Amino acid sequence: MAAQPRQNFKKIAIVVHDLVMTALAICLVFVVRFEGRQLDEHLRYLPQFLPPFVACAGLVYWFFSLYRSKWRFASLPDLSNIVKAVSVLTVTLLAVDYVLVSPDFYGAFYFGKITIALYWLVQIALLGGPRLAYRYFKYARSRTSAVREATLPALILGRGVEVEMVIRAMEAGTMRRTRPAGILSPRADDLGQSIRGVPVLGLLSEIERIAGEAAERGEAFRRIVATPSALAPEAQPEKWLARTRKLALPISRIEALGEGARDTEIAPLEIEDLLVRSTVAIDRERLGGFLKNKRVIVTGGGGSIGSEICLRCATFGAAELLVVESSEPALFQITELLSVHAPGTPVSGMLADVRDRERIMPLFATFRPDIVIHAAALKHVPYLEADWSEGIKTNIFGSANVTDAAIAAGAKTFVLISTDKAIEPVSMLGATKRFAEMYAQSRDAEFVAAASGVRLVAVRFGNVLGSVGSVVPKFKAQIARGGPVTVTSPEMIRYFMTIREACDLVLTAASHARADGPEAERAAVYVLKMGQPMRIMELAERLIRLAGFEPGEDIEIVVSGVRPGERLNEILFARDEPMAETGLDGVMAAKPIFAGRAKIQSWLQRLEAAVKSDNREAANAVLDEAIPDFSRREQNQPAAPAQPSSLPAAASQP
């Protein structure tokens, strides 16, 4: 609470400063331009002219946002705004002097062209000078403090602009106890240069030699900081990263490069960061508009996807967050994480199983959410092939419970987290998820007919790097044990994306469903663009090389065989799903295909009876009827290994 009065005081101080400087600029111009009787004559009329001009100046400064920017981070955009504001005031003076106070009216000019030109220069200096001086004072003090506290010399990797921002962040103290000691660039043109006084020591490929020479001089680097340009494919990160293994230095990557030094964030470099394409640029303003001041429920909030969605909702301004989770350790972990990373967001956690309708319905009714994101699910193909009834209970009946609870509680947006395995499903996971999609679509159609503004949509995506059950952590653990690395098939192809990008795109898709006006065609199922597909065999080989080993020599790769319910290629859209445009980067959509509510209810009753009697054949019969593609699952399984050039058209989309 004390911070707000302090911020208000700072803004008032800036306003007073600028207005005083405006009056001072007029006085100084008169003193410099005139003398004797002329000066006395101009100063005599000053009390009549100055108050309205200063008031006008205050409005101009407000219009050009001079009061919104922090002096500590004063930069060229701020100076540009000052020049624009002063130019407007100068033109105003010119108009007043040559129209209202011209010789035709009063017999003489009050300012004159030379005086007005002099005012333009003096006013810019008086407004911009203190800001730049304050910034330099803060910079010098923070740099002195950072140098005094910094004990870890860092080697920065990347190109000029990104490196310069990282150095500024270090000087500002954002990266505590770290100081820039040298730069390695992917470009030979940068050799022999320096950035903010830090020399470019060599190319990325020379990292081992340069680090060794620094250690011999007694100036060993203690940390490596890699900017995005050092991790780009053209920089060949596998090669320089393999050379750093012998150095045993911690490596950090830049997670965010903001305009201000304090907006720069770093995180430990993980192998996953080098395995996917460049991520889609996220419209943060759009997500802020969608989530700000909204009450949000996330089911399965302790899982890999659910926990990241919770963090993103808090980041983009959710008013209150309810995390629903059946695992007590997972619930504790995410609520503790949110208390650290989003201390300003009210967060409550509830232990509840989505299969327990009597628990879910009143829980949602009490919280009254605006948005519900249903991430709770069973998702491991082999387990659901063996324990089929558990998949039906959670993925179908649990999803129906959450959907109904969200509607009853008055939520305006419901998002079902689905999977690409729901498209022409060949596994129990895919079939149960597709059925859940159909249920949400049938409920959504009811509100479309009523034009109530309620939206229920599903978002499909594939494999997420680093999530629980992902192949990458498994491969890393096998490599750490010395191998072998097990691959189910040399021809297995999958899509991959990062958890952060997947969750941001899920929220982007949800914001599209909520958008008012003809932004795009109406969609019920959103599909995230997963980039180019990757062979699992190539993924394993690349991971082994990134770890500093050679596949087949240091670490063996063993083919273990395709598991029940798996297919070689993932696809993004079913054959009969009509496409819909979204106009959003990274998000595609399909129009709804579903049965009527009465038909779906009859299928649910038959599934419930099949589960109670433990009759898998009866359950399969219902799923076959509801999802015709599921009855053709044997044909959907590729009989021969697929080549990259023979990928289905939907699977090869970017």
Side-chain angles (χ1 to χ4, degrees):
M1 295 297 291
Q4 190 62 35
R6 184 179 179 184
Q7 291 297 324
N8 293 336
F9 174 77
K10 287 183 178 180
K11 288 184 179 180
I12 293 172
I14 293 174
V15 171
V16 172
H17 167 272
D18 289 350
L19 297 182
V20 170
M21 289 298 112
T22 302
L24 182 60
I26 297 293
C27 296
L28 285 177
V29 166
F30 283 166
V31 170
V32 172
R33 178 72 178 89
F34 306 108
E35 58 184 15
R37 183 178 175 182
Q38 279 188 314
L39 177 61
D40 294 339
E41 185 74 12
H42 280 78
L43 293 178
R44 185 161 61 90
Y45 290 102
L46 198 59
Q48 301 175 34
F49 164 78
L50 203 55
F53 180 74
V54 169
C56 174
L59 294 176
V60 173
Y61 298 154
W62 174 83
F63 179 80
F64 285 99
S65 304
L66 264 61
Y67 308 137
R68 295 182 183 178
S69 59
K70 290 188 175 183
W71 284 24
R72 179 167 190 166
F73 303 115
S75 58
L76 286 177
D78 299 310
L79 183 59
S80 174
N81 286 337
I82 289 174
V83 171
K84 292 174 184 176
V86 174
S87 297
V88 169
L89 292 176
T90 302
V91 171
T92 302
L93 285 180
L94 198 63
V96 170
D97 207 35
Y98 276 75
V99 175
L100 300 180
V101 196
S102 64
D104 293 339
F105 288 90
Y106 292 98
F109 293 112
Y110 185 56
F111 284 93
K113 291 182 288 186
I114 296 177
T115 307
I116 291 175
L118 187 60
Y119 163 78
W120 187 82
L121 295 172
V122 172
Q123 187 69 82
I124 289 175
L126 290 179
L127 291 179
R131 284 169 164 82
L132 296 178
Y134 183 83
R135 172 175 176 168
Y136 181 79
F137 167 74
K138 285 290 190 179
Y139 160 75
R141 192 173 72 171
S142 63
R143 183 175 185 180
T144 301
S145 176
V147 169
R148 184 172 60 251
E149 296 177 1
T151 57
L152 301 176
L155 182 61
I156 308 173
L157 314 182
R159 299 179 64 175
V161 175
E162 295 175 350
V163 169
E164 192 267 345
M165 298 190 74
V166 172
I167 295 175
R168 283 174 52 199
M170 290 181 177
E171 292 172 347
T174 300
M175 302 180 194
R176 298 186 180 279
R177 300 188 54 181
T178 303
R179 62 179 175 85
I183 301 167
L184 295 184
S185 173
R187 300 178 56 185
D189 297 347
D190 295 335
L191 296 179
Q193 300 181 8
S194 64
I195 301 175
R196 297 182 74 87
V198 182
V200 179
L201 302 176
L203 299 173
L204 292 176
S205 58
E206 302 173 298
I207 187 169
E208 190 175 0
R209 176 183 63 80
I210 290 172
E213 292 175 354
E216 291 175 1
R217 295 193 305 267
E219 302 172 355
F221 300 111
R222 299 285 300 280
R223 181 181 295 277
I224 295 173
V225 178
T227 66
S229 59
L231 301 175
E234 55 269 23
Q236 298 181 308
E238 297 96 333
K239 293 184 178 180
W240 67 255
L241 186 61
R243 293 186 176 97
T244 63
R245 299 298 178 188
K246 300 177 182 178
L247 302 176
L249 293 175
I251 306 175
S252 299
R253 63 178 174 87
I254 302 300
E255 192 169 47
L257 275 172
E259 184 176 326
R262 292 192 177 276
D263 296 329
T264 303
E265 303 174 7
I266 63 171
L269 178 67
E270 299 288 347
I271 291 179
E272 290 92 328
D273 300 318
L274 307 176
L275 297 177
V276 292
R277 75 212 188 291
S278 298
T279 57
V280 173
I282 300 300
D283 188 344
R284 301 176 67 88
E285 185 176 348
R286 181 190 186 97
L287 295 188
F290 172 60
L291 288 162
K292 191 171 182 61
N293 299 324
K294 300 295 195 306
R295 296 167 63 82
V296 183
I297 291 180
V298 181
T299 68
S304 305
I305 299 298
S307 59
E308 184 64 27
I309 285 179
C310 289
L311 290 167
R312 303 312 284 162
C313 289
T315 298
F316 289 113
E320 190 172 353
L321 186 62
L322 173 62
V323 184
V324 178
E325 175 58 60
S326 62
S327 167
E328 183 184 35
L331 181 63
F332 174 80
Q333 187 174 19
I334 182 56
T335 51
E336 287 296 299
L337 192 63
L338 285 166
S339 68
V340 173
H341 291 280
T345 304
V347 177
S348 53
M350 292 292 178
L351 284 171
D353 192 328
V354 296
R355 307 194 313 194
D356 187 349
R357 189 178 183 88
E358 285 69 27
R359 167 70 167 150
I360 292 296
M361 294 296 287
L363 188 64
F364 279 46
T366 301
F367 187 79
R368 299 197 62 79
D370 300 299
I371 301 169
V372 174
I373 301 175
H374 178 43
L378 298 177
K379 62 179 183 178
H380 294 288
V381 172
Y383 293 150
L384 294 194
E385 289 303 301
D387 297 323
W388 60 273
S389 60
E390 295 302 303
I392 291 175
K393 292 175 186 176
T394 298
N395 295 352
I396 293 181
F397 289 109
S399 296
N401 290 340
V402 174
T403 304
D404 294 344
I407 294 170
K412 291 297 184 181
T413 306
F414 170 84
V415 183
L416 168 69
I417 302 297
S418 190
T419 171
D420 55 0
K421 294 176 177 59
I423 310 162
E424 298 181 4
V426 297
S427 64
M428 186 60 68
L429 168 61
T432 55
K433 277 296 190 179
R434 180 69 188 102
F435 197 103
E437 289 181 4
M438 293 167 60
Y439 186 83
Q441 290 167 21
S442 71
R443 298 304 311 269
D444 182 62
E446 298 172 14
F447 292 101
V448 173
S452 66
V454 176
R455 287 307 319 273
L456 296 93
V457 297
V459 182
R460 298 173 184 158
F461 54 91
N463 299 278
V464 176
L465 292 168
S467 65
V468 175
S470 169
V471 71
V472 174
K474 177 181 178 181
F475 284 172
K476 289 168 65 176
Q478 290 175 335
I479 293 169
R481 293 196 302 267
V485 172
T486 56
V487 175
T488 54
S489 169
E491 305 304 326
M492 186 73 70
I493 295 174
R494 290 292 183 267
Y495 296 92
F496 288 97
M497 70 193 319
T498 64
I499 292 179
R500 171 68 57 84
E501 183 182 13
C503 293
D504 281 346
L505 288 178
V506 164
L507 297 174
T508 299
S511 71
H512 178 271
R514 272 256 53 85
D516 296 322
E519 183 184 38
E521 297 179 73
R522 181 182 180 85
V525 176
Y526 292 87
V527 182
L528 306 188
K529 294 180 182 178
M530 301 294 293
Q532 293 301 319
M534 180 183 296
R535 286 182 181 275
I536 300 299
M537 179 65 78
E538 293 175 1
L539 174 65
E541 292 173 348
R542 193 173 182 190
L543 281 170
I544 291 171
R545 290 193 177 98
L546 286 171
F549 303 105
E550 190 60 31
E553 297 180 10
D554 304 311
I555 302 289
E556 293 294 330
I557 299 179
V558 175
V559 176
S560 59
V562 178
R563 298 174 297 180
E566 285 188 326
R567 57 187 171 197
L568 297 182
N569 300 322
E570 297 293 2
I571 56 179
L572 300 181
F573 288 98
R575 301 184 192 93
D576 55 353
E577 277 188 317
M579 302 282 287
E581 291 296 329
T582 67
L584 301 174
D585 190 15
V587 179
M588 302 176 289
K591 296 178 182 178
I593 297 178
F594 55 90
R597 178 81 184 282
K599 189 65 175 176
I600 289 180
Q601 286 299 135
S602 71
W603 286 334
L604 286 173
Q605 293 172 3
R606 289 166 58 191
L607 281 174
E608 184 177 11
V611 168
K612 287 182 178 179
S613 61
D614 196 26
N615 189 338
R616 182 165 190 169
E617 287 73 19
N620 281 341
V622 176
L623 296 175
D624 289 344
E625 182 181 337
I627 311 165
D629 287 328
F630 188 56
S631 63
R632 296 192 295 265
R633 54 192 176 277
E634 297 302 328
Q635 291 85 348
N636 290 338
Q637 293 272 22
Q643 301 302 319
S645 59
S646 64
L647 280 172
S652 60
Q653 293 179 12

